[in-house]
Amino acid sequence: MVSFAAVRRVASLGRSRRSNMNFLSTASFDTSTNESGNHSSSTRFLSSSVLNSRINRVASPSSSSAFSPQARNLSAFLDSYDAHVDERATLADGLGVAPKPLDAAQCQDLIDEIKAFSGSQEEGDRLVDILSNRVPPGVDEAAYVKAAYLSAIAKGDDSSSLVSRELAIKLLGTMQGGYNVGTLVELLKDSDESISALAAEQLKHTLLVFDAFYDVEEMHKQGVKAATEVMESWANAEWFLQKPQVQEKITVTVFKVTGETNTDDLSPAQDAWSRPDIPLHAVAMLKNSRDGIEPVADGTIGPLKQIAELQEKGYPLAYVGDVVGTGSSRKSATNSVLWFMGEDIPYVPNIKSGGVCIGGKIAPIFFNTMEDSGALPIEMDVNDLNMGDTIDIYPFEGKVCKAGTDEVITEFGLKTPVILDEVRAGGRIPLIIGRGITSKARVALGRDASVADTFKLPEEPENNPEGFTLAQKMVGRACGVDGVVPGQYCEPLMTTVGSQDTTGPMTRDELRSLACLGFSADLVMQSFCHTAAYPKPVDVVTHHTLPDFIRTRGGVSLRPGDGIIHSWLNRMLIPDTVGTGGDSHTRFPIGISFPAGSGLVAFAGATGIMPLDMPESVLVRFSGTMQPGVTLRDLVQAIPYTAIQMGLLTTEKKGKKNIFSGRILEIEGLPDLKCEQAFELSDASAERSAAGCTIQLNKEPIIEYLNSNVVMLKWMIAEGYGDARTLERRIARMEEWLADPQLLEADPKAEYAAVIDINLDEITEPILALPNDPDASAKLSEVQGENIDEVFIGSCMTNIGHFRAAGKLLDKVSEPIPTRLWVAPPTKMDEAQLTEEGYYSIFGSAGARTEMPGCSLCMGNQARVAPGCTVVSTSTRNFPNRLGQGANVYLASAELAAVASILGRLPTPDEYLQYMGQVDATAADTYRYLNFDELPDFVEKASSVEISDEMKAAAHKLQAGE
């Protein structure tokens, strides 16, 4: 049995002072690296003295002309701001939306007006109020401007009739961390004891101090009184204890949404462009009519008036549903819910925390994202909770009563007692960082590092298994131990982190709020696959600005038009390692990933670790032989189909049963799959609401995959992709593994929550997902003959073999096909190869609409199928209204989709097998995968790239776990 303390301790290795994994610092834009190949913390993480010098430069008259007062109209700020407020008040059908936070230019305009102020007290108060409350904290560009100005006043280098030195220090203390910290640390030594004491008060509740922690520690050792007070405060966890405790009784009004709430309901894909603008995006929450929900404008504006009427009862609202949070975009969905049902965060514009979310079942990533946001998610029986009920929740007693009475409606158990600490701290991430500071301060003061006297720590699981599953071994290795048992808290190292473009702007904002200017995760990659094809103006801005944001922090940025994040990120993986991503389909075919909301993804990228309560595992074990015409996509759907037959999964939302929810799906019995094929299986674990997925493969397909990927990554460097050093380090790690290819395996006596055996001999026809639910399954013979209007062949569930198969079937057709056919390959490399082989000519002759490589219809945020039509799609999920308003979508293989496009209906099994005979006859040619080490253009480009000895040494240390 591995103890919690051991896992926690090992997971913290590499995070001592000035180490490459240490995130307790404020990062610079310096790109020099340390011996591990990551940006060295002594340069990427600023000390208070270095940070002060930068702020002094910004605050000085010689600052860039972009922030020069002479370039500003000093009298225009309030008029301009009021015009913006008035404009936002007209949105949402006149119901109004909160104004945006200030950007850097607006913040400088505001400061210029404060400097030159000569107006009334009322106007002066307004200016200071806006400076105090409407500028984002952390390392946002506007925060940089704000911190520079306040620092100049706080240190006596500037003065203002509106902002006193004391007020400037207090306002610096509201900025959470980053650019404000250096000045506050310096002021601990101020000769004016009242000033040093005031600075100390601000630092006592500032958590994002990063390497400045050690500056305070050094001052303490030198006998600086204020520094000692700060260290004592951190050690005593005053930052936590001074926050209000969770109430013993929480009274709320129920906002009940019956059935399943997926995150498309809460954060519609069509409105993805507005996700970073939380109050505007929240307008679209539940915009489509459904039982009990009354949108202001059906399909456009959600139930704002209905929410307002319930709020008039005088209590906060609690979101309640049968099944809550399935699907993607969980952070934006959480933001929307909390915008109406959470609490304001002082001095932080347009973000809310707290709130209560109740579900009969809450999807695991959505649950975690609620935790990260400081909300209280609870799973319980919701059958007797109805819209408009006022209830009393007793979180410590685990019961819900009718408000003002002792009448118990239902009872519950919290997922973990730690969750109440998370709520009190303002979220799981602040709690983790804060506990770390308290522990470090205690050690610095000569005390025991334990914080068990103040905080509820995760409980150690009681079971001591005789063996570990593959997932438990992978996570264990990432924590420096043999294995991690279910229920055990750990912090595995994040080797690979992915971010896509509809969540990327939110991840960027979260990174700013974490004061991160350099990644500690070994590889962080950003894609633009969801918005490249039909960009809105806001998307174009993202395309131009987000790549630099990622690269300057040591990450890798793709380009618009490159294709789907997963098809690229999978080619950057190291076997048996752990990662995460801001897309629920970040499901590694080698290794394991735990997808997360953008806040946790930012934390993982910034710190190189991720908090995890190790889930249980469900084993899916295949046996037998694949039958003619049966594809990998049919095996994907065979998993929920079999689980339903076994009584482990139901499609009814009330009292829903789902053996996969929150567990790891571990797949065995298909060891010779190509890695591209394996991803079809791991990818679909998202639709099962599984926390993660592993697939036991033999070495040979992984060796083939990595040899190909080494060439592709070298090609990327030659093509100017960056950060080049990160790509070099990843190539070196791949080559290190290839030199001695070893794979983890599950122990024979590993324990599983359930075992699902699937005999391939018994699957003799395709299995489809029925419309509106990716779990609902049927054999082709049960739905044959259904008329089909449109067909989509694309998404991360496809690879080049699927498009060849479809092309070969379409090439036999002489008449125009009766359906609207959409074709979208996953990457630009697939597109180029298919074009070279003549398949795009076939698609064009068939009348197909060929889309830019990327997500296309799968997300449904831009191009859409016709309202109310019936579709066969190879996409990931088929929630109501996802691909098109009121569309009925079957999920199936590319091969079956192609046949349906030709016939205009679902074929009979015999018809399907006749068509598949044409594909099987040339299967060796059809299902050739993109092996870049066999493509001359890629090999030639790659040959010009040499990996430096420095990166080889860095990779060796990382592979060795040093």
Side-chain angles (χ1 to χ4, degrees):
M1 175 67 187
V2 180
S3 72
F4 160 75
V7 175
R8 173 75 173 173
R9 182 172 58 253
V10 175
S12 299
L13 286 176
R15 300 212 307 276
S16 59
R17 185 176 184 182
R18 312 299 186 196
S19 75
N20 65 298
M21 290 297 176
N22 180 6
F23 64 97
L24 293 179
S25 51
T26 300
S28 77
F29 293 98
D30 195 291
T31 57
S32 60
T33 58
N34 64 11
E35 62 181 0
S36 294
N38 283 329
H39 299 271
S40 66
S41 58
S42 58
T43 53
R44 71 193 286 227
F45 296 124
L46 300 181
S47 67
S48 58
S49 59
V50 176
L51 183 57
N52 266 326
S53 68
R54 294 200 169 186
I55 288 180
N56 287 339
R57 290 201 299 272
V58 173
S60 70
S62 61
S63 297
S64 165
S65 60
F67 299 104
S68 171
Q70 287 78 10
R72 305 292 180 185
N73 181 344
L74 299 184
S75 63
F77 176 78
L78 281 178
D79 287 343
S80 175
Y81 185 75
D82 287 343
H84 171 69
V85 172
D86 291 342
E87 179 187 9
R88 299 277 283 190
T90 67
L91 301 179
D93 202 31
L95 295 174
V97 172
K100 292 182 179 181
L102 301 190
D103 60 26
Q106 291 169 326
C107 188
Q108 188 62 51
D109 285 341
L110 170 61
I111 289 169
D112 291 343
E113 191 149 329
I114 289 174
K115 286 182 176 181
F117 181 73
S118 60
S120 68
Q121 183 66 43
E122 180 182 359
E123 288 178 325
D125 289 345
R126 281 199 66 207
L127 292 172
V128 174
D129 179 72
I130 294 170
L131 179 66
S132 303
N133 296 298
R134 301 305 301 170
V135 179
V139 294
D140 184 90
E141 289 89 343
Y144 193 72
V145 177
K146 177 179 176 178
Y149 176 60
L150 293 175
S151 293
I153 295 176
K155 291 187 292 187
D157 298 334
D158 201 346
S159 61
S160 167
S161 62
L162 295 178
V163 182
S164 66
R165 190 180 186 192
E166 289 76 13
L167 178 58
I169 295 171
K170 289 179 180 178
L171 291 180
L172 284 171
T174 68
M175 297 183 68
Q176 296 188 348
Y179 299 133
N180 63 326
V181 172
T183 296
L184 294 174
V185 171
E186 181 180 335
L187 290 175
L188 295 178
K189 298 184 294 185
D190 196 274
S191 58
D192 185 336
E193 189 169 320
S194 66
I195 293 297
S196 62
L198 185 58
E201 285 303 312
Q202 311 315 308
L203 283 171
K204 288 176 182 178
H205 59 253
T206 300
L207 299 181
L208 301 176
V209 293
F210 303 112
D211 265 4
F213 175 93
Y214 303 108
D215 297 318
V216 178
E217 181 184 16
E218 192 64 32
M219 289 182 189
H220 154 68
K221 292 177 180 178
Q222 294 170 0
V224 177
K225 177 183 175 184
T228 299
E229 290 176 356
V230 173
M231 293 295 290
E232 291 282 357
S233 177
W234 283 340
N236 294 332
E238 290 179 2
W239 65 268
F240 176 76
L241 296 175
Q242 290 178 358
K243 294 177 180 289
Q245 295 186 44
V246 176
Q247 297 172 309
E248 293 187 6
K249 180 180 74 173
I250 303 171
T251 303
V252 296
T253 298
V254 171
F255 182 84
K256 178 73 174 285
V257 184
T258 58
E260 179 178 35
T261 304
N262 64 65
T263 49
D264 278 0
D265 297 321
L266 302 173
S267 173
Q270 309 97 291
D271 300 276
W273 60 272
S274 65
R275 283 174 180 165
D277 188 345
I278 293 171
L280 179 60
H281 188 67
V283 168
M285 185 179 86
L286 298 172
K287 68 179 184 178
N288 295 310
S289 293
R290 58 188 293 167
D291 185 30
I293 301 300
E294 304 164 7
V296 170
D298 192 20
T300 306
I301 301 174
L304 306 190
K305 293 181 180 178
Q306 188 177 14
I307 289 172
E309 289 172 0
L310 291 175
Q311 289 171 333
E312 289 177 1
K313 293 191 172 189
Y315 300 105
L317 302 189
Y319 195 98
V320 180
D322 294 306
V323 180
V324 182
T326 53
S328 295
S329 311
R330 285 146 172 126
K331 180 61 176 178
S332 54
T334 293
N335 287 341
S336 292
V337 171
L338 297 189
W339 183 252
F340 297 112
M341 303 176 196
E343 303 167 358
D344 290 324
I345 305 173
Y347 306 103
V348 180
N350 292 14
I351 300 176
K352 295 190 179 183
S353 182
V356 176
C357 177
I358 299 172
K361 198 72 180 176
I362 302 178
I365 304 177
F366 188 77
F367 190 105
N368 291 339
T369 306
M370 279 281 172
E371 282 185 277
D372 296 337
S373 301
L376 176 59
I378 312 172
E379 289 188 332
M380 65 176 75
D381 184 345
V382 299
N383 288 333
D384 294 326
L385 300 179
N386 300 299
M387 180 73 85
D389 288 351
T390 302
I391 58 174
D392 293 331
I393 303 171
Y394 294 86
F396 295 93
E397 298 179 48
K399 65 180 182 180
V400 175
C401 295
K402 185 177 179 181
T405 75
D406 294 327
E407 180 185 337
V408 176
I409 301 173
T410 186
E411 296 181 321
F412 63 89
L414 295 175
K415 175 184 175 184
T416 164
V418 178
I419 202 167
L420 297 179
D421 276 5
E422 294 170 354
V423 174
R424 186 176 184 182
R428 181 167 55 161
I429 291 172
L431 179 64
I432 293 169
I433 295 173
R435 280 192 316 219
I437 287 177
T438 294
S439 181
K440 287 162 67 73
R442 291 183 177 188
V443 171
L445 294 172
R447 304 178 191 172
D448 187 274
S450 173
V451 293
D453 60 325
T454 304
F455 301 98
K456 298 179 181 70
L457 297 180
E459 297 174 350
E460 291 192 25
E462 296 178 0
N463 59 318
N464 189 6
E466 296 184 60
F468 293 114
T469 73
L470 178 57
Q472 290 160 10
K473 285 189 172 183
M474 289 178 179
V475 174
R477 174 176 287 182
C479 294
V481 295
D482 292 336
V484 178
V485 301
Q488 190 168 13
Y489 177 82
C490 58
E491 294 178 355
L493 293 177
M494 293 290 105
T495 302
T496 309
V497 178
S499 171
Q500 50 98 332
D501 41 333
T502 61
T503 59
M506 292 186 296
T507 301
R508 173 200 61 203
D509 294 345
E510 297 282 354
L511 286 164
R512 287 170 173 164
S513 69
L514 284 170
C516 170
L517 293 169
F519 295 124
S520 288
D522 186 41
L523 186 145
V524 177
M525 194 198 80
Q526 175 66 49
S527 79
F528 297 92
C529 46
H530 291 71
T531 61
Y534 305 96
K536 294 178 172 62
V538 68
D539 298 324
V540 174
V541 172
T542 299
H543 296 168
H544 285 299
T545 58
L546 194 52
D548 281 345
F549 181 92
I550 296 296
R551 286 192 297 261
T552 56
R553 286 157 175 79
V556 176
S557 179
L558 299 183
R559 300 162 183 169
D562 280 351
I564 299 176
I565 180 172
H566 315 297
S567 302
W568 285 81
L569 191 66
N570 288 347
R571 289 189 171 274
M572 301 182 186
L573 303 178
I574 304 297
D576 292 338
T577 57
V578 183
T580 188
D583 185 301
S584 63
H585 294 100
T586 309
R587 308 279 172 153
F588 297 165
I590 56 176
I592 189 170
S593 63
F594 296 94
S598 55
L600 197 53
V601 169
F603 183 79
T607 68
I609 63 166
M610 178 178 173
L612 178 69
D613 294 308
M614 187 66 191
E616 291 182 295
S617 290
V618 172
L619 176 64
V620 173
R621 188 165 51 200
F622 288 96
S623 61
T625 305
M626 288 274 282
Q627 298 301 297
V630 175
T631 67
L632 258 294
R633 187 61 185 252
D634 299 316
L635 302 194
V636 164
Q637 209 61 36
I639 295 173
Y641 183 87
T642 305
I644 290 172
Q645 313 308 311
M646 295 175 65
L648 300 175
L649 176 67
T650 61
T651 55
E652 174 65 34
K653 307 308 175 187
K654 183 174 287 190
K656 183 174 175 65
K657 189 183 295 185
N658 183 356
I659 190 64
F660 306 106
S661 181
R663 295 187 171 98
I664 297 170
L665 179 56
E666 305 207 34
I667 297 174
E668 295 180 358
L670 301 168
D672 296 318
L673 291 179
K674 302 293 187 181
C675 292
E676 293 92 336
Q677 293 176 307
F679 182 58
E680 280 190 71
L681 290 168
S682 63
D683 194 11
S685 65
E687 275 55 72
R688 310 286 81 80
S689 290
C693 181
T694 66
I695 301 179
Q696 185 70 66
L697 296 177
N698 287 333
K699 294 179 186 177
E700 288 74 19
I702 297 177
I703 291 171
E704 176 185 350
Y705 196 51
L706 262 62
N707 279 324
S708 171
N709 297 343
V710 163
V711 171
M712 192 201 81
L713 293 185
K714 288 184 176 181
W715 170 85
M716 289 181 69
I717 294 173
E719 288 287 302
Y721 285 85
D723 179 275
R725 294 171 67 83
T726 297
L727 290 171
E728 280 190 48
R729 190 171 59 247
R730 182 48 54 98
I731 292 166
R733 289 194 69 173
M734 290 179 175
E735 291 176 335
E736 183 96 4
W737 185 88
L738 285 167
D740 182 24
Q742 301 293 328
L743 293 173
L744 297 172
E745 294 183 3
D747 290 327
K749 293 185 178 181
E751 298 177 3
Y752 301 90
V755 177
I756 298 173
D757 284 302
I758 299 176
N759 187 345
L760 298 176
D761 296 328
E762 298 174 358
I763 304 174
T764 57
E765 60 177 296
I767 303 174
L768 299 81
L770 300 177
N772 298 326
D773 189 342
D775 282 339
S777 309
K779 294 180 179 178
L780 176 59
S781 56
E782 298 173 304
V783 291
Q784 65 185 36
E786 178 77 22
N787 289 331
I788 301 300
D789 303 304
E790 303 196 33
V791 171
F792 172 54
I793 301 176
S795 89
C796 55
M797 290 290 284
T798 61
N799 57 60
I800 195 168
H802 297 129
F803 295 90
R804 288 200 191 99
K808 289 184 177 182
L809 291 172
L810 290 166
D811 196 31
K812 303 290 185 180
V813 177
S814 56
E815 299 292 328
I817 61 174
T819 56
R820 188 185 195 195
L821 173 60
W822 305 69
V823 174
T827 72
K828 68 178 183 181
M829 294 85 79
D830 295 293
E831 179 186 51
Q833 188 68 22
L834 290 167
T835 300
E836 183 177 316
E837 294 177 13
Y839 285 98
Y840 262 66
S841 175
I842 295 172
F843 297 147
S845 297
R849 174 170 171 167
T850 52
E851 295 270 292
M852 174 188 287
C855 298
S856 187
L857 287 179
C858 182
M859 185 178 177
N861 62 318
Q862 296 179 334
R864 311 267 288 167
V865 299
C869 69
T870 301
V871 184
V872 174
S873 174
T874 63
S875 55
T876 55
R877 51 179 59 121
N878 57 350
F879 295 142
N881 307 311
R882 184 177 177 89
L883 270 66
Q885 201 70 16
N888 293 303
V889 181
Y890 290 90
L891 300 180
S893 68
E895 292 83 352
L896 179 54
V899 174
S901 75
I902 294 168
L903 297 177
R905 57 177 171 80
L906 291 175
T908 66
D910 287 342
E911 288 175 319
Y912 168 76
L913 288 175
Q914 289 177 11
Y915 278 99
M916 283 301 293
Q918 302 172 27
V919 176
D920 291 340
T922 58
D925 173 71
T926 300
Y927 298 108
R928 288 178 289 113
Y929 296 97
L930 278 182
N931 285 345
F932 294 104
D933 55 333
E934 298 174 2
L935 299 177
D937 289 347
F938 284 85
V939 173
E940 182 180 355
K941 282 268 188 179
S943 65
S944 66
V945 175
E946 293 290 336
I947 308 303
S948 69
D949 290 339
E950 181 186 6
M951 290 301 101
K952 290 179 181 178
H956 178 74
K957 288 191 172 187
L958 290 168
Q959 279 298 96
E962 298 178 14

